[in-house]
């Protein structure tokens, strides 16, 4: 019998467990370990609450969790409650799928002022992540700025601009819904260092903006090259750029504005004790397509500034780490003998949910090649880990416990919402009677 530990229950962890279960059948047992008693990583805490159809992918992960030989050990933080070294004593291989939960810094003066937050914090707040339940982003000013030109920036801008009714059918947490409902924000400026043809926004997410109830997406057609330039783009990007251009033709009167500010490089954040404005330098594209400052500066008022410029994986003691890239040092997912990584912890924070599937399958194949199905190890696996956790007084949870939490969340659902997510570890444990 082989024993595998998959650390992290986001998409990468689940696809890896699925692939290992297929490769080994009854000849292996594997535990998906997560720091929280609730699984699914960014499917729960990242993907926008008003994109419920995407969140439905968790149903597929449920099936994996219910597969014979696959266990879930929640409420256990690897690196704090148990070390990677200890896991490796108990399991034949350890696969780190811990994602990239830390916001990258902007690296500009003023970024520590109150009112400046990273997207992991802001997204975590509206999605019920326990670390950010008390974030209280300032929504009392009329202007917000979103730094970044990817889909996460769009998520943040859209969530800030929606009306209460537009959240019907979403699983946004109650505290965020109430705060957003009382928000004074009227103008949301989305800043990108390069131009409209260089965005990393997908057509579906952009297209939604045209139909917002209260906010009008605004572009300046002077930022765009002649329309013939779009011919050189790949089809998906061309579609996105066409949608952006079409924003200029929307004739509607809406009380809020979402302003796309291209060729805009934040230089500093200023304010008297809190963020009040961004100092921005106008850029142009150089010969290589990178943003080059022009020396012209201007101010963008904003008392809430959300940076959406990427994430990094935290380091874990004993695991080789690539400081520059902010992820584990690895070659095709292999970190060292019997130690692997997958998903964002392997590749960095890029790609969609689906990108993690081939990633997980590739690493599972590498594991199976190193330890062919049929070969056996002599490690204690989950039983050994649970005994160790017991000695340390760490109350691990399992998949049945998660189902109980899920039922409690569904029972508490507001009208029009699929569930009222619990936002604190204590609430989860209380639902389990602990
Ligand atoms: C705001 C946002 C919105 C997104 N929206 C979309 C979208 O609409 N569509 C799409 O296709 N993709 C979307 N993505 C991308 C998608 O979420 C990622 O591709 C995917 O979640 C990465 O999977 P992962 O398993 O590597 O990491 P994660 O999903 O982050 O999972 C990591 C897991 O590891 C656990 N963990 C972390 N540290 C430890 C530890 N020390 N010990 C134990 N467990 C630990 C975490 O609790 C978590 O469960 C979005 C991403 C973000 C940030």
């Amino acid at each position: 019998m082989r024993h595998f530990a998959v650390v992290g229950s986001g998409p990468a962890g689940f696809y890896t467990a699925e692939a290992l279960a297929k490769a080994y059948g009854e000849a292996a047992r594997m535990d998906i370990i997560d720091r929280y008693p609730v699984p699914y990583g960014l499917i729960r805490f990242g993907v926008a609450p008003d994109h419920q159809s995407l969140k439905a992918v968790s149903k597929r992960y449920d099936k994996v969790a219910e597969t014979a030989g696959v266990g879930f050990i929640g409420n256990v933080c690897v690196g704090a409650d148990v070390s990677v070294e200890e896991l490796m004593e108990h399991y034949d291989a350890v696969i780190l799928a811990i994602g990239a939960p830390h916001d990258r810094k902007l690296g500009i003066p003023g970024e520590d002022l109150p009112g400046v937050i990273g997207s992991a914090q802001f997204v975590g707040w509206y999605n019920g992540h326990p670390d950010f339940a008390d974030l209280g982003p300032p929504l009392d000013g009329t202007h917000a700025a979103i730094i970044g030109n990817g889909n996460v920036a769009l998520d943040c801008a859209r969530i800030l601009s929606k009306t209460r009714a537009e959240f019907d059918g979403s699983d946004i947490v109650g505290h965020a819904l109430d705060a957003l409902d009382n928000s004074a924000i009227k103008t949301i400026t989305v800043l990108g260092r390069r131009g409209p043809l260089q965005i990393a926004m997908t057509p579906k997410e952009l297209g939604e903006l045209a139909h917002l109830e209260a906010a009008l997406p605004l572009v300046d057609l002077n930022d765009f090259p002649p329309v013939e330039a779009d011919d050189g783009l790949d089809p998906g990007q061309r579609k996105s750029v066409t949608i952006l251009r079409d924003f200029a033709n929307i004739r509607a009167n809406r009380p809020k504005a979402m302003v796309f500010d291209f060729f805009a490089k934040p230089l500093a954040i200023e304010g008297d004790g809190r963020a009040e404005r961004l100092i921005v330098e106008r850029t142009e594209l150089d010969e290589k397509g990178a943003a080059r400052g022009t020396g012209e500066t201007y101010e963008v008022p904003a008392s809430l500034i959300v940076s959406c410029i990427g994430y990094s994986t935290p380091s874990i003691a004993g695991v080789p780490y690539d400081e520059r890239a902010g992820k584990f040092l690895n070659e095709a997912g292999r970190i060292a003998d019997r130690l692997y990584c997958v998903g964002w912890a392997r590749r960095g924070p890029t790609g969609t949910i689906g990108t993690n599937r081939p990633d997980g399958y590739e690493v599972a194949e590498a594991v199976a090649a190193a330890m062919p199905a049929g070969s056996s190890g002599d490690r204690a696996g989950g039983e050994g880990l649970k005994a160790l956790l017991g000695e340390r007084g760490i109350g691990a949870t399992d998949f049945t416990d998660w189902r109980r939490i899920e039922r409690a969340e569904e029972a508490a659902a507001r009208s029009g919402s699929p569930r009222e997510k619990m936002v604190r570890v204590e609430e989860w444990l209380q639902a389990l009677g602990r």
Side-chain angles (χ1 to χ4, degrees):
M1 178 67 73
R2 290 289 185 184
H3 295 278
F4 301 121
V6 177
V7 184
S9 66
F14 269 104
Y15 288 125
T16 306
E18 179 184 82
L20 286 170
K22 280 188 186 158
Y24 284 87
E26 290 176 3
R29 301 188 64 81
M30 66 214 67
D31 291 315
I32 303 174
I33 302 168
D34 205 283
R35 65 187 309 172
Y36 300 117
V38 297
Y40 313 135
L42 286 173
I43 303 301
R44 180 182 171 105
F45 294 126
V47 171
D50 55 345
H51 284 171
Q52 285 296 304
S53 59
L54 280 169
K55 293 197 172 218
V57 71
S58 64
K59 298 276 168 276
R60 175 181 177 149
Y61 305 154
D62 287 350
K63 291 218 164 56
V64 177
E66 285 154 7
T67 308
V70 178
F72 177 69
I73 303 182
N75 206 30
V76 173
C77 183
V78 172
D81 297 328
V82 62
S83 68
V84 168
E85 201 181 355
E86 286 166 329
L87 282 185
M88 292 188 71
E89 281 166 22
H90 292 297
Y91 292 91
D92 292 295
V94 173
I95 299 106
L96 300 174
I98 66 165
H102 290 178
D103 282 302
R104 280 195 177 269
K105 300 285 276 181
L106 284 163
I108 60 174
E111 76 171 307
D112 295 325
L113 281 171
V116 186
I117 54 182
S119 59
Q121 297 175 292
F122 184 60
V123 168
W125 171 73
Y126 64 65
N127 265 324
H129 190 296
D131 289 355
F132 308 115
D134 299 319
L135 182 72
L139 303 171
D140 52 333
T142 51
H143 287 70
I146 310 288
I147 302 175
N149 261 187
N151 277 343
V152 174
L154 281 188
D155 277 356
C156 294
R158 189 182 70 254
I159 295 292
L160 277 175
S161 68
K162 276 198 162 181
T163 62
R164 192 174 189 102
E166 286 178 288
F167 285 111
D168 274 1
S170 78
D171 68 346
I172 190 166
V173 292
H175 66 225
L177 185 64
D178 291 340
L180 289 165
D181 200 21
N182 291 315
S183 160
I185 293 171
K186 291 276 179 285
T187 305
I188 302 151
T189 306
V190 181
L191 298 103
R193 283 199 299 185
R194 299 193 292 162
L197 269 58
Q198 286 76 40
I199 52 167
M201 300 166 169
T202 45
K204 180 186 163 288
E205 279 68 23
L206 271 170
E208 282 176 57
L209 304 183
H211 309 289
L212 289 173
E213 199 177 299
L216 194 61
L218 297 174
V219 292
D220 181 348
L221 286 180
N222 292 317
D223 287 335
F224 290 71
V227 73
E228 297 76 50
D230 299 5
D231 294 344
L233 301 173
D234 75 53
Q237 187 74 347
R238 197 180 320 137
K239 213 167 167 184
S240 292
V241 174
T242 304
I243 293 169
L244 264 183
R245 287 184 190 273
D246 285 350
F247 287 160
N249 301 323
I250 303 177
R251 297 279 164 261
N253 220 346
R254 297 180 198 163
K256 297 182 193 176
M258 191 186 297
V259 181
F260 286 84
D261 191 3
F262 295 108
F263 302 108
K265 178 184 170 193
L267 292 182
I269 295 160
E270 292 181 350
D272 189 6
R274 60 176 281 184
E276 289 174 12
R277 72 195 82 85
L278 260 170
I279 308 299
V280 182
E281 181 177 19
R282 187 59 73 215
T283 66
E284 58 190 11
L285 294 182
D286 69 13
E287 312 69 43
K288 290 184 180 150
R292 170 172 62 198
T294 61
E296 178 198 339
T297 60
Y298 59 99
E299 291 181 6
V300 172
S303 48
L304 169 66
I305 298 174
V306 185
S307 67
C308 309
I309 57 162
Y311 307 99
S312 62
T313 298
S315 59
I316 297 187
V319 183
Y321 187 75
D322 181 345
E323 286 288 345
R324 205 186 50 81
K327 59 189 173 97
F328 295 123
L329 260 183
N330 73 91
E331 258 178 55
R334 184 182 176 279
I335 299 174
D337 193 26
R338 303 197 294 114
L339 182 61
Y340 299 82
C341 57
V342 289
W344 278 16
R346 167 189 174 183
R347 310 188 310 272
T350 57
T352 62
I353 297 164
T355 318
N356 299 293
R357 187 174 186 274
D359 187 325
Y361 272 72
E362 190 186 339
V363 168
E365 263 176 40
V367 172
M371 295 167 209
S375 66
S376 67
D378 57 1
R379 294 175 199 270
E383 294 316 313
L385 174 64
K386 283 177 198 158
L388 178 70
L389 294 170
E391 281 166 27
R392 291 184 180 164
I394 294 161
T397 60
D398 62 18
F399 202 69
T400 311
D401 292 328
W402 152 239
R403 291 303 212 186
R404 285 167 64 197
I405 294 172
E406 192 181 35
R407 278 199 299 276
E409 289 186 333
E410 280 163 6
R414 286 160 277 132
S415 83
S417 126
R419 63 169 48 159
E420 176 64 50
K421 283 195 284 191
M422 296 174 185
V423 300
R424 289 176 210 281
V425 176
E426 305 83 68
E427 283 181 276
W428 293 326
L429 296 181
Q430 232 169 40
L432 300 176
R434 297 193 190 158

